[in-house]
């Protein structure tokens, strides 16, 4: 409440300018922690490799889209760029690693989900721009 009323030690403008660098650092930390949690859960429940790859790719895409959304909403270009770069990494991972390791059924499900999420997300971005 104190930050919103500008009665905090630092004004909202100064806090907003410093948040971009902090948000990139937090984005990296969240990425590392979420990956460690995911692989720990997959190991505890002894998931098969194709399910691990399938869910990991989906989570990477979700993290990338979330990064782009939050970066766009708060006008943090660096967060948007990192999210865009993560999408490129996800697509490369999808074609290089996932396709070689997963069955045809999982491939079809993965590409369908990626396509639907991409369409929904692009529609959301178009609505925000107008």
């Amino acid at each position: 409440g104190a930050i919103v009323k500008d009665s905090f030690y630092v004004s909202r403008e100064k806090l907003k300018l410093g948040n971009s660098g902090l948000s990139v650092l937090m984005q990296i930390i969240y990425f590392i922690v979420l990956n460690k949690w995911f692989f720990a859960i997959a190991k505890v429940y002894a998931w098969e490799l194709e399910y691990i790859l399938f869910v990991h790719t989906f989570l990477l895409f979700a993290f990338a889209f979330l990064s782009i959304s939050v970066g766009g909403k708060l006008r943090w270009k660096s967060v948007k760029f990192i999210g865009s770069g993560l999408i490129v990494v996800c697509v490369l991972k999808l074609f290089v690693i996932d396709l070689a390791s997963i069955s045809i059924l999982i491939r079809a499900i993965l590409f369908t989900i990626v396509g639907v999420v991409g369409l929904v997300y692009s529609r959301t971005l178009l609505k925000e721009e107008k």
Side-chain angles (χ1 to χ4, degrees):
I3 295 174
V4 174
K5 297 176 187 173
D6 272 342
S7 62
F8 196 62
Y9 296 111
V10 181
S11 69
R12 199 177 328 163
E13 286 77 27
K14 286 183 182 178
L15 193 64
K16 194 170 187 177
L17 288 176
N19 271 350
S20 181
L22 179 64
S23 64
V24 170
L25 179 65
M26 290 304 296
Q27 187 178 21
I28 293 168
I29 291 170
Y30 285 145
F31 181 76
I32 292 169
V33 168
L34 290 175
N35 273 312
K36 286 183 104 25
W37 281 355
F38 170 72
F39 287 117
I41 290 169
K43 186 176 181 180
V44 166
Y45 291 106
W47 288 1
E48 293 181 31
L49 178 64
E50 62 185 24
Y51 294 118
I52 292 171
L53 292 173
F54 173 74
V55 174
H56 188 250
T57 301
F58 178 75
L59 290 175
L60 285 177
F61 271 114
F63 188 81
F65 289 137
L66 184 66
S67 296
I68 293 172
S69 296
V70 170
K73 194 74 144 173
L74 298 175
R75 296 187 180 111
W76 291 336
K77 290 182 182 179
S78 55
V79 174
K80 282 176 56 175
F81 288 142
I82 290 174
S84 300
L86 188 56
I87 287 179
V88 171
V89 169
C90 289
V91 170
L92 289 174
K93 178 187 178 291
L94 183 68
F95 284 108
V96 174
I97 297 171
D98 294 354
L99 288 182
S101 303
I102 59 178
S103 68
I104 293 291
L105 178 64
I106 299 296
R107 282 184 212 173
I109 293 170
L110 186 63
F111 276 111
T112 303
I113 289 173
V114 168
V116 168
V117 168
L119 286 172
V120 169
Y121 190 73
S122 66
R123 288 290 187 193
T124 306
L125 286 179
L126 287 174
K127 286 181 183 178
E128 287 179 5
E129 288 179 4
K130 291 180 181 182

